[in-house]
Amino acid sequence: MLVLGIETSCDETGVALYDTDLGLIAHRVYSQIALHAPYGGVVPELASRDHLEKVLPLIQALLAEVQMDLSQLQGIAFTQGPGLVGALFVGAMLGRSLAMALGIPVVGVHHMEGHLLAPLLMQDAPTFPFVGLLVSGGHTQLLLATAVGDYQLLGETVDDAAGEAFDKVASMLGLPYPGGPELAELAATCVHCDWKFPRPMLDRPGLDFSFSGLKTHCRVWIERLQKQANWNASTRAQTAYAFERAVVDTLRIKCLRALEQTSVKNLVVAGGVGANQYLRQQLTTHLAMHSARVYYPPPELCTDNGAMIAFVGTLRLQAGQSIELGFNVKPRWPMESLDVL
Ligand code: KG4
Ligand code: ZN
């Protein structure tokens, strides 16, 4: 079965072709980062308009690249939620219209399920059950995954998402949007730092996160250094370093707690912050000490992409799921409400 995946939930237009025999055939992502950068964040209306302009040419280029055409498609998967409503509508409308015109089934995919299952696209894929750490610009969640669609929420952020905190602190440091990768690069230039920023909510039991206090701590810290006329390249890099350490330590400790609590040995890290090298290195080392293993999607599939949507859509279409023609998208969509395959 050959399935076209379409992702338009936020600021990346992603398209991909997945085949049940051949695996992932090809995928393409068009990033809107440059479009939103002057505003310091995603402007929803601009995002929708840009998806509208880019998505069809991107699909045409993808098909041309692998010398295929629309008539070969046997199914379509699009991101139905969560995300920006106008942006979601672009993929939903196109996916459904194409499916109707081609007379093939279409399915709406949960964006975060896409992130969570993206590591299953690798050769050395994790098996169920596993704990999933979803860390993106909008989500910070720990889930227990026992089958495709069977997800139990173990904990989540009570305020900012980890990626959001990265982006906001990056902006305080004068780094361009989105900020997470730039902050990580700046932190890597720090030669020495013994500042210890707070590790939020570690003293409490449970698996919830909170990053808003750490963000405020960074703001007050920077203001103090500026008042003391001690704000320079070195203290700036040290602030980035101390912040990154605090976030990564918090994520690592909660992941280990979740594995212990569920007696599961596999952890899957997904979402944009999963591209963070220090997080990867810390999780790999610490989980090995507990005879556990961590899996990541390939770096290019950490951030938003159509491949993960095509893949999950294929699993769901194969299980007989599809949706009727209609206009609904789901800007908010709890993962625990998904159908188990
Ligand atoms: O999953 P994603 O591409 O989009 C959402 O669905 O939100 O995640 C984007 C988030 C942004 O906050 C970005 O700054 C963060 O992931 N991010 C990183 C890194 N690469 C991306 N944060 C820290 N370190 C990185 N290397
Ligand atoms: Zn995402």
Side-chain angles (χ1 to χ4, degrees):
M1 182 180 217
L2 178 69
V3 175
L4 170 70
I6 305 170
E7 154 65 34
T8 63
S9 67
C10 190
D11 58 350
E12 256 108 27
T13 316
V15 297
L17 290 166
Y18 183 85
D19 181 83
T20 37
D21 293 327
L22 304 172
L24 181 64
I25 295 178
H27 84 109
R28 284 192 174 215
V29 178
Y30 176 84
S31 173
Q32 301 180 351
I33 285 181
L35 175 72
H36 301 292
Y39 306 94
V42 179
V43 184
E45 179 61 25
L46 292 182
S48 324
R49 289 189 214 174
D50 203 58
H51 285 305
L52 209 50
E53 254 178 51
K54 301 292 173 0
V55 66
L56 257 181
L58 211 56
I59 292 172
Q60 279 156 347
L62 180 78
L63 288 166
E65 177 191 331
V66 294
Q67 290 162 1
M68 288 182 159
D69 60 65
L70 285 174
S71 66
Q72 287 169 273
L73 298 179
Q74 291 162 305
I76 293 189
F78 65 87
T79 304
Q80 196 173 12
L84 302 170
V85 66
L88 289 168
F89 265 125
V90 177
M93 287 300 99
L94 180 66
R96 283 171 154 138
S97 315
L98 274 177
M100 188 175 71
L102 297 167
I104 56 176
V106 56
V107 70
V109 172
H110 192 294
H111 179 83
M112 298 312 291
E113 184 180 36
H115 276 305
L116 184 70
L117 301 189
L120 302 190
L121 276 165
M122 294 184 305
Q123 289 226 307
D124 179 25
T127 50
F128 291 106
F130 58 78
V131 168
L133 171 70
L134 294 178
V135 267
S136 70
H139 287 77
T140 303
Q141 293 185 330
L142 276 165
L143 297 151
L144 174 63
T146 41
V148 176
D150 199 353
Y151 312 121
Q152 184 196 331
L153 186 66
L154 301 170
E156 64 183 333
T157 182
V158 295
D159 42 56
D160 289 0
E164 191 181 353
F166 260 98
D167 297 347
K168 287 180 179 165
V169 173
S171 160
M172 294 173 202
L173 294 169
L175 295 165
Y177 163 84
E182 292 80 2
L183 189 152
E185 259 174 52
L186 178 62
T189 66
C190 173
V191 273
H192 176 76
C193 175
D194 41 28
W195 298 339
K196 192 161 184 212
F197 285 5
R199 270 75 173 146
M201 291 182 79
L202 286 188
D203 49 345
R204 289 186 227 168
L207 295 167
D208 284 340
F209 303 92
S210 162
F211 292 108
S212 155
L214 174 61
K215 185 188 65 188
T216 308
H217 178 86
C218 289
R219 188 169 42 74
V220 173
W221 188 268
I222 293 168
E223 282 167 5
R224 211 191 65 201
L225 288 169
Q226 285 170 336
K227 264 194 215 123
Q228 295 168 346
N230 190 19
W231 185 240
N232 52 46
S234 165
T235 52
R236 187 166 165 259
Q238 284 182 70
T239 306
Y241 179 96
F243 166 78
E244 188 186 47
R245 262 56 191 167
V247 175
V248 169
D249 275 5
T250 308
L251 294 174
R252 165 178 58 80
I253 291 165
K254 292 276 159 106
C255 283
L256 281 163
R257 213 181 263 181
L259 291 170
E260 198 177 311
Q261 190 178 305
T262 53
S263 307
V264 164
K265 288 289 180 196
N266 288 339
L267 175 74
V268 164
V269 180
V273 183
N276 185 279
Q277 286 306 322
Y278 181 64
L279 175 68
R280 288 183 170 224
Q281 175 214 320
Q282 284 290 300
L283 286 174
T284 305
T285 312
H286 284 266
L287 264 66
M289 291 195 262
H290 291 81
S291 313
R293 200 178 146 187
V294 55
Y295 295 82
Y296 309 96
E300 84 210 79
L301 299 185
C302 266
T303 44
D304 292 349
N305 63 83
M308 63 188 195
I309 303 304
F311 174 61
V312 173
T314 306
L315 295 178
R316 294 195 166 274
L317 288 166
Q318 271 188 307
Q321 283 185 13
S322 65
I323 52 172
E324 302 296 315
L325 200 64
F327 291 94
N328 67 320
V329 289
K330 301 177 182 180
R332 290 174 191 279
W333 189 4
M335 244 170 111
E336 287 175 294
S337 68
L338 291 173
D339 291 330
V340 179
L341 296 192

